[in-house]
Amino acid sequence: MFEEHIIRRIRWYIRRLYSWFLNLLMQSYWDEIEDCKVKVFDKLSEKAEKVLEIGIGSGPNIRYYAASNANLTLYGLDPNPKMKKYARKSASKAGFKHKSFRFKQGVGEAIPLKDNSVDAVVATLVLCSVSDVTQTLKEIKRVLRPGGVFIFLEHVAAKDGSMFRRLQKLLDPLQQRLADGCHLTRNTRECILKAGFSGGVEIETYSMCSFPWITRPHIYGLAYN
């Protein structure tokens, strides 16, 4: 019993040290990805009045929505109910009225919204960690109205057969354990292309220069329902 307690404490300290170290080193990554986020959110139409963001967390993206449409209602989906107060605080800071931001507890594989109920769905650095990418994309298509748009920004697997891809495969199990289920080797680009968005898909590729280099390949773009 005592040994198990020691092991749990050691694991807790390792996770805490890892989180601190990663946050310190990733500042350059967040600075660089800011440019990508600006490009992504610029594609959000002023006509989009109901928007769902999957994996909203504490709401770091909410500030990007305020400029798009004063009449926008934002649904923030997250599996962790404790994120609600932080996300609502971010929404208030960004200028959202209380009724214009609605937190929904849930996962991408089972979105708690009706069919054809939103104009746009946004996911940034989320599809790497959902349990089932294919099911999540099906749910996104279900809740999008006809003509609606899925806006995404994700890190993806490196090119098949490359040394970089082999290294990602080697580190993937550790990444999943330490980074809340984040996968390094997901072919998210192919999943989106095969999801059957009837209006077409536009995908841009981007290679990040900053740490962590293991997640260097990124994609961003639009998929039309």
Side-chain angles (χ1 to χ4, degrees):
M1 182 69 69
F2 178 74
E3 290 181 353
E4 291 179 359
H5 174 73
I6 294 298
I7 291 173
R8 285 197 297 268
R9 293 299 294 177
I10 290 173
R11 287 176 176 171
W12 182 83
Y13 280 115
I14 289 174
R15 290 193 184 100
R16 188 171 183 178
L17 180 61
Y18 174 83
S19 298
W20 172 83
F21 183 68
L22 192 62
N23 184 64
L24 180 66
L25 291 179
M26 285 188 68
Q27 187 57 51
S28 60
Y29 174 82
W30 298 126
D31 291 342
E32 185 176 359
I33 207 167
E34 176 80 6
D35 294 334
C36 286
K37 284 191 175 183
V38 169
K39 292 178 182 178
V40 165
F41 283 93
D42 277 349
K43 298 178 183 296
L44 190 62
S45 170
E46 293 181 359
K47 296 180 181 179
E49 295 188 353
K50 293 184 178 180
V51 177
L52 165 68
E53 180 173 345
I54 298 176
I56 196 153
S58 62
N61 290 333
I62 292 179
R63 58 194 175 97
Y64 297 104
Y65 294 102
S68 64
N69 189 343
N71 297 317
L72 186 144
T73 297
L74 176 63
Y75 297 89
L77 180 70
D78 202 274
N80 186 351
K82 293 182 179 179
M83 287 297 177
K84 181 177 181 177
K85 65 177 181 179
Y86 300 109
R88 188 163 290 285
K89 184 177 179 180
S90 295
S92 178
K93 187 177 180 180
F96 276 87
K97 296 178 181 179
H98 186 82
K99 65 179 182 179
S100 297
F101 175 72
R102 303 176 186 179
F103 184 89
K104 296 284 186 179
Q105 183 185 355
V107 295
E109 294 87 346
I111 298 173
L113 291 177
K114 295 180 180 180
D115 296 359
N116 309 320
S117 58
V118 295
D119 302 306
V121 176
V122 176
T124 67
L125 305 176
V126 169
L127 296 181
C128 59
S129 57
V130 297
S131 298
D132 189 331
V133 180
T134 301
Q135 177 61 25
T136 298
L137 291 170
K138 286 181 179 178
E139 281 290 278
I140 289 171
K141 289 174 58 185
R142 179 184 66 78
V143 300
L144 275 174
R145 64 167 178 77
V149 61
F150 171 43
I151 301 173
F152 54 88
L153 164 62
E154 301 287 339
H155 71 78
V156 294
K159 185 178 180 180
D160 258 338
S162 67
M163 180 63 72
F164 194 36
R165 176 62 175 272
R166 288 194 287 272
L167 186 58
Q168 284 182 326
K169 186 175 182 180
L170 178 67
L171 295 176
D172 197 39
L174 179 63
Q175 173 77 359
Q176 290 181 46
R177 287 180 64 87
L178 295 179
D180 294 325
C182 174
H183 293 69
L184 295 173
T185 56
R186 281 205 166 151
N187 286 315
T188 306
R189 181 180 185 276
E190 296 303 315
C191 290
I192 294 173
L193 289 173
K194 293 178 180 178
F197 285 95
S198 58
V201 179
E202 301 173 7
I203 299 182
E204 300 287 340
T205 58
Y206 182 78
S207 183
M208 300 289 287
C209 298
S210 53
F211 180 89
W213 48 267
I214 197 64
T215 60
R216 180 171 293 174
H218 281 63
I219 60 170
Y220 63 91
L222 309 170
Y224 299 94
N225 203 28

